[in-house]
Amino acid sequence: MSFASPLFLWYFMPAILLAVLIAPRSWRNGVIAVASLVFYASGAGGTTLLLLACIVVNYLVAPALQPDEWDLERRRKRWLLIGVITFNLSILFVWKYAGFATEQAAVLASWFGAELPVVELALPIGISFYTFHHISYVVDIYRGERPALRNPVSFVTYIAMFPQLVAGPIIRYREIADQLPQQRSHRLDDIAAGLPRFALGLAKKVIVADSLAPVVNACFNTPAEDMTFAIAWLGAIGYTLQLYFDFSGYSDMAIGLGRMLGFRLPENFARPYSSVTVTEFWRRWHMSLSRWFRDYVYIPLGGNRHGAAKTYRNLWIIFLLTGFWHGAAWTFVLWGVFHGALLVFERATGRDRAPASQGGRIARRVLTTVLVTIGWVVFRSPDMAAAWTVLSNMLLPDLDGLSIEVGDALNNQRLVILLAAVSVFFLPGRSVTGPYLESARSRPAAVLRVALLTVGLWYAAILVATGTFSPFLYYQF
């Protein structure tokens, strides 16, 4: 079930919001937990049992990880923590990476005339996200930052909460632990604040991202012999915009839904295409993933506390894992290595700090956008050969235009939306629309909220009703 589907918009969301609003406070987490499992099962089918198994294991183990007053069993608890993290990562590896690993092994074996079977497993929806939630939960308890949840309903609510279950934001346990008690308040004000945020996300997804999808697909599906400079750049820019509006749209919808249910979920985007360095880009793009890797991998590795060489090593590790986390393919690995190399270069040369002059900032912002766009080409391509086809044509200007297929996909309506979406490259990074919608009490904010609810929401709903929507891009991760 997608947020941008008639079933969710017309039936599921209103029913759950009404149930949470009228239910006694002590029942609200139960309503959310049951609704979340139903939501997940509607798309995941039998792999819902895998989610439930992970929930049971982590819930049962977590209380034993809590530090006691004298901390007499720290060594045993450390091994228990390692064991439960290994369990979580093993589930992720088997279901997400076993196919890739056995495929590479089969290729290697073929060089020696041998044959090995290739494992094929259906990827459970959201497994990368709920695995990271489980790891955050047990690590935060082991560190003594928050106590283990004794109520299983509250734990299921945290792990399976349907707004964030499938594609984030990734919520560290300590960020939400204080919001999980059964007596959490819930008011109509929460719905009034969350609904415009949800409407913003739906408009981003359905009106912008889904309109760009046919153009991007046509560009990347162009055969190598027909690829041109114009098609390559149109596809690259189109995907750069499509991914942003699709994923930030999902995040806005998730945060808005969470607010309507009485939760304050962390922000995930802050105008990333206004960044003047790649380092800054990663402080603004998929922020919840960056924070997770910082807290649970980068800092435990030593962060930047042990000299330049180890800092660069840690950055490489983080972005290699970031690439691999997104998918089991060499394109994702290369994309992670590419960004790791850029961050190491910026840190080594001091270019991770923004220039003081306005002209320097503009030039660096253009360069950062171009580098990020090049990275998205690798990220989007099905394999290395396809990525090279697009990248090589981006570097070789020619006089050829668009193919018939790409020209048909880029109709007048989509061209207007594409040009409007390009404005995101020029917006300042200071004011972020999502938080502004929720918190600002000014007249412009009120006008924007009314416009989203009376125009954006209804136009997006009409498009959903006509079937002109597609799954969120991050569902595949």
Side-chain angles (χ1 to χ4, degrees):
M1 191 189 312
S2 169
F3 293 168
S5 67
L7 178 61
F8 183 87
L9 292 174
W10 312 149
Y11 303 103
F12 187 86
M13 184 176 77
I16 300 309
L17 291 178
L18 179 62
V20 170
L21 193 62
I22 65 176
R25 286 189 178 186
S26 60
W27 291 18
R28 286 172 182 164
N29 279 357
V31 171
I32 295 171
V34 172
S36 298
L37 293 176
V38 171
F39 174 86
Y40 186 78
S42 69
T47 58
T48 304
L49 296 175
L50 188 64
L51 169 63
L52 292 174
C54 292
I55 287 174
V56 170
V57 170
N58 286 271
Y59 174 75
L60 294 177
V61 169
L65 296 172
Q66 286 191 169
D68 53 44
E69 183 178 357
W70 302 103
D71 213 13
L72 298 177
E73 299 182 330
R74 193 67 172 174
R75 182 179 179 86
R76 183 184 67 81
K77 291 176 180 178
R78 184 181 299 114
W79 282 109
L80 185 59
L81 176 68
I82 292 171
V84 73
I85 291 176
T86 301
F87 167 79
N88 289 311
L89 293 178
S90 297
I91 294 293
L92 179 63
F93 179 84
V94 169
W95 287 89
K96 188 168 184 175
Y97 302 107
F100 176 74
T102 55
E103 182 180 352
Q104 304 310 308
V107 171
L108 183 61
S110 68
W111 295 351
F112 300 95
E115 291 187 9
L116 291 177
V118 175
V119 174
E120 295 184 4
L121 296 173
L123 180 65
I125 299 173
I127 189 171
S128 299
F129 292 90
Y130 69 69
T131 297
F132 274 22
H133 284 130
H134 280 122
I135 292 175
S136 172
Y137 177 69
V138 295
V139 171
D140 284 356
I141 291 170
Y142 173 80
R143 290 174 175 174
E145 296 184 1
R146 291 294 187 276
L149 290 167
R150 301 295 179 175
N151 188 318
V153 173
S154 296
F155 181 60
V156 174
T157 300
Y158 165 52
I159 296 297
M161 188 192 308
F162 71 86
Q164 54 76 37
L165 175 59
V166 176
I170 299 171
I171 307 170
R172 293 166 296 174
Y173 175 52
R174 64 176 178 268
E175 291 180 296
I176 201 171
D178 295 337
Q179 303 179 51
L180 290 170
Q182 296 279 41
Q183 299 302 315
R184 182 185 66 258
S185 63
H186 182 258
R187 303 171 299 170
L188 284 172
D189 289 350
D190 291 319
I191 295 179
L195 187 57
R197 185 73 183 266
F198 179 85
L200 172 66
L202 184 65
K204 281 182 175 181
K205 161 63 177 171
V206 177
I207 298 175
V208 182
D210 286 351
S211 295
L212 298 178
V215 180
V216 173
N217 292 339
C219 291
F220 277 87
N221 291 338
T222 300
E225 60 272 16
D226 296 329
M227 184 66 70
T228 66
F229 180 77
I231 294 175
W233 273 102
L234 177 62
I237 294 172
Y239 183 69
T240 298
L241 295 169
Q242 179 200 3
L243 184 62
Y244 168 73
F245 281 97
D246 190 283
F247 192 22
S248 71
Y250 180 95
S251 296
D252 284 326
M253 295 169 80
I255 293 169
L257 282 167
R259 181 65 184 273
M260 287 190 278
L261 294 173
F263 291 96
R264 304 294 184 95
L265 305 186
E267 295 296 331
N268 215 18
F269 288 87
R271 293 210 190 284
Y273 294 146
S274 68
S275 304
V276 297
T277 66
V278 178
T279 303
E280 182 185 359
F281 172 81
W282 279 103
R283 297 192 190 111
R284 294 173 174 268
W285 176 276
H286 205 347
M287 297 186 294
S288 64
L289 178 66
S290 298
R291 290 188 293 259
W292 194 96
F293 272 116
R294 180 197 65 198
D295 289 354
Y296 302 115
V297 182
Y298 182 72
I299 292 176
L301 284 173
N304 56 2
R305 300 188 303 273
H306 303 294
K310 289 187 177 179
T311 297
Y312 303 154
R313 178 205 66 185
N314 295 341
L315 287 172
W316 276 103
I317 292 172
I318 290 300
F319 278 90
L320 180 63
L321 293 175
T322 298
F324 209 50
W325 176 86
H326 279 85
W330 289 116
T331 50
F332 293 118
V333 174
L334 177 60
W335 172 78
V337 169
F338 175 68
H339 274 275
L342 292 175
L343 264 72
V344 168
F345 173 78
E346 288 186 347
R347 194 174 189 91
T349 59
R351 295 175 68 86
D352 55 335
R353 296 179 292 274
S357 68
Q358 183 65 21
R361 290 182 64 86
I362 293 173
R364 293 276 293 280
R365 182 170 174 177
V366 171
L367 176 61
T368 298
T369 302
V370 170
L371 290 173
V372 169
T373 300
I374 290 172
W376 289 140
V377 170
V378 179
F379 189 89
R380 167 61 174 78
S381 299
D383 51 48
M384 302 294 287
W388 174 246
T389 295
V390 177
L391 291 173
S392 60
N393 280 274
M394 289 171 66
L395 299 174
L396 299 173
D398 56 50
L399 298 178
D400 297 327
L402 304 178
S403 65
I404 295 175
E405 292 78 11
V406 175
D408 289 341
L410 187 64
N411 57 33
N412 291 335
Q413 179 185 1
R414 290 171 184 155
L415 177 60
V416 170
I417 291 174
L418 174 64
L419 294 176
V422 167
S423 66
V424 77
F425 291 131
F426 304 98
L427 294 174
R430 295 181 298 276
S431 177
V432 182
T433 307
Y436 176 75
L437 275 174
E438 287 191 56
S439 59
R441 294 295 177 261
S442 63
R443 181 172 296 179
V447 171
L448 180 57
R449 282 191 284 266
V450 170
L452 279 169
L453 293 175
T454 58
V455 180
L457 180 61
W458 290 107
Y459 181 54
I462 291 171
L463 293 177
V464 169
T466 59
T468 55
F469 68 95
S470 60
F472 288 93
L473 295 176
Y474 259 65
Y475 274 17
Q476 63 184 301
F477 306 131

